[in-house]
Amino acid sequence: MEQKSAAKRFPTIGDDSGLAQTDSLYKEELQLALRNNGMPLEGLRYPITPTGMHYLLIHYDIPEVNATDWRLKVGGLVSKPLNLTLEEIKKRPTKTMAVTMECAGNGRALFTPRRISQPWLLEAIGTAEWTGTPLWGVLEEAGVHRDAAEIIFTGLDRGVEGDQVQFYQRSLTVGEARREEVLLVYEMNGEPLQPQHGYPLRLLVPGWYGMASVKWLDRIEAVAEPFQGYQMVRAYRYAQAADDLGEPVSLIRVRALMIPPGVPDFMTRTRLVEPGPVTIAGRAWAGRLNVSGVEGSVDGGSTWSEAQLGESVSPYAWRTWTFPWNAKPGMYTLCVRAIDSEGNVQPLDQQWNFGGYGNNGVQRVNVVVE
Ligand SMILES: Nc1nc2c(c(=O)[nH]1)N[C@H]1C(S)=C(S)[C@@H](COP(=O)(O)O)O[C@H]1N2
Ligand SMILES: [Mo]
């Protein structure tokens, strides 16, 4: 199925570097942004993001799925290949879990220069209540061989990326695949998955950036060698240049975001806040780790003070925080940063990487108090 050089028939955007040559957006980035919506930051109010407000990322097209013909194929290095209907999967042990998902490219357009791709600022996040069955139960039933090293997950969606025609495919090591929180999910917020979120079945890998949670699952295969697919070795790497391999992108980095206070100016979204006591609030998450603290700043990150931490919705979901501020007339840049249970703290400016991944640099919100 892989076909080299297909991309040569498609024009390059900008020059050949893959990096934007202008501060303005290319219309192709706008085209991606209109297909892949983000969560408006006021959506941080809701512990569980309403389904239509959850961010979306789709590399190619939403595939057409005929629910009656659809089967999940489980094969490769297994003793008993499976061919499961959705009804059979739903009869398996069920688990419902609130999970915060974030796209690895969140913050990409805040890097200079930015990679030409989905131009996220801060909004590629959401928390949903997902229902499904543990992946490992299905793999155990299939009898994964002891010499299997990885499990490959293939979606039904296909497109051209880099120089390859490909299905969207990602792998997990067997060690990751057997973790109890890794699920095959068929419901989001108590409803069957919507087409754009992976109907009828997707993988959910809590704690990992979103690219690991393969949508529209078609087949699952156990293999002996690390999978070398495009989305493993070309995309989703912390690299310094297009031809640099770099380290793989995996777990979600610690981050806090605030609900922008007051009301926005229509064009700039600078906030207008009335003088007096204000409670700045938001949510923070740290992938597989815990959030151990959140700090707020009203002077652009020169001085920080501790925020009050609240409850998390689940071990893999965000938790609330609040920060009191006595707003006096003037202009301010509000910032927030979180620290995780291993002591990693959000940087004021994240170190640049070519793909624009993992940018958890602190949020800045400009405010006019009057
Ligand atoms: N089959 C398939 N799965 C996919 C993708 C895709 O394009 N195709 N996008 C991935 C990426 S990059 C992210 S961030 C999440 C987004 O999931 P959501 O759209 O349900 O929020 O799905 C992942 N799973
Ligand atoms: Mo993503």
Side-chain angles (χ1 to χ4, degrees):
M1 190 45 82
E2 279 189 7
Q3 200 175 306
K4 299 269 162 171
S5 86
K8 296 205 173 67
R9 295 195 291 275
F10 304 97
T12 321
I13 308 309
D15 64 8
D16 279 337
S17 67
L19 299 172
Q21 302 301 308
T22 164
D23 279 346
S24 310
L25 284 191
Y26 294 95
K27 69 178 185 302
E28 288 78 4
E29 293 173 289
L30 175 61
Q31 183 169 249
L32 279 172
L34 292 169
R35 294 181 51 81
N36 297 308
N37 61 278
M39 188 193 78
L41 292 185
E42 60 273 30
L44 289 163
R45 278 188 214 121
Y46 312 103
I48 301 296
T49 312
T51 304
M53 220 184 259
H54 193 283
Y55 88 92
L56 206 59
L57 198 109
I58 300 164
H59 283 231
Y60 314 127
D61 285 352
I62 298 166
E64 192 178 351
V65 181
N66 178 329
T68 30
D69 298 345
W70 180 88
R71 297 287 184 279
L72 176 70
K73 281 84 84 182
V74 184
L77 295 175
V78 297
S79 40
K80 184 182 148 209
L82 305 175
N83 203 22
L84 302 170
T85 65
L86 189 57
E87 288 316 307
E88 287 167 330
I89 293 167
K90 285 184 178 171
K91 285 195 193 110
R92 304 186 66 87
T94 65
K95 201 161 165 175
T96 296
M97 210 187 340
V99 174
T100 296
M101 206 189 301
E102 179 171 13
C103 180
N106 203 14
R108 172 180 291 126
L110 297 171
F111 278 128
T112 310
R114 65 177 194 282
R115 174 73 186 277
I116 302 172
S117 182
Q118 167 73 23
W120 296 121
L121 299 170
L122 296 169
E123 56 297 281
I125 46 156
T127 297
E129 211 154 40
W130 302 93
T131 300
T133 193
L135 168 69
W136 191 247
V138 172
L139 288 172
E140 265 189 321
E141 184 180 324
V144 174
H145 291 180
R146 292 184 52 177
D147 51 354
E150 290 201 349
I151 311 292
I152 304 176
F153 302 87
T154 304
L156 288 161
D157 50 329
R158 197 163 73 100
V160 184
E161 211 175 345
D163 54 3
Q164 297 168 20
V165 179
Q166 56 185 293
F167 285 96
Y168 186 90
Q169 289 186 302
R170 290 273 312 177
S171 68
L172 290 177
T173 62
V174 169
E176 286 292 314
R178 66 190 316 153
R179 289 178 63 99
E180 61 179 12
E181 73 273 16
V182 179
L183 304 180
L184 295 172
V185 301
Y186 43 80
E187 278 182 15
M188 180 181 183
N189 298 340
E191 303 280 347
L193 294 181
Q194 294 196 347
Q196 65 274 28
H197 288 293
Y199 179 85
L201 187 75
R202 79 179 298 172
L203 181 64
L204 182 73
V205 192
W208 282 61
Y209 279 119
M211 74 283 163
S213 295
V214 178
K215 302 193 266 192
W216 311 291
L217 278 176
D218 177 45
R219 57 181 204 276
I220 298 179
E221 287 163 85
V223 294
E225 300 293 334
F227 177 54
Q228 302 293 311
Y230 181 92
Q231 308 297 345
M232 302 301 295
V233 298
R234 298 266 315 271
Y236 301 109
R237 311 286 302 198
Y238 290 116
Q240 288 305 302
D243 55 1
D244 172 19
L245 188 57
E247 290 296 313
V249 173
S250 57
L251 299 177
I252 296 176
R253 291 175 169 171
V254 63
R255 190 202 283 278
L257 288 177
M258 77 179 90
I259 303 168
V263 296
D265 168 51
F266 174 64
M267 276 318 298
T268 61
R269 303 203 67 82
T270 293
R271 314 299 301 187
L272 178 65
V273 171
E274 285 176 23
V278 185
T279 301
I280 311 292
R283 295 187 192 263
W285 58 97
R288 192 176 275 179
L289 302 175
N290 293 319
V291 172
S292 55
V294 172
E295 295 175 329
S297 167
V298 298
D299 57 10
S302 301
T303 58
W304 296 90
S305 31
E306 198 103 345
Q308 180 89 36
L309 287 183
E311 290 306 300
S312 59
V313 194
S314 94
Y316 291 99
W318 54 26
R319 64 192 291 180
T320 54
W321 55 265
T322 54
F323 174 73
W325 179 38
N326 191 11
K328 301 205 173 76
M331 287 167 65
Y332 300 87
T333 300
L334 307 189
C335 296
V336 62
R337 68 179 181 194
I339 180 165
D340 70 25
S341 44
E342 288 185 353
N344 301 297
V345 57
Q346 288 182 250
L348 270 173
D349 285 298
Q350 181 54 274
Q351 207 198 327
W352 186 89
N353 66 81
F354 179 77
Y357 299 119
N359 186 0
N360 65 340
V362 302
Q363 178 189 14
R364 285 179 173 77
V365 178
N366 293 324
V367 176
V368 175
V369 179
E370 68 175 45

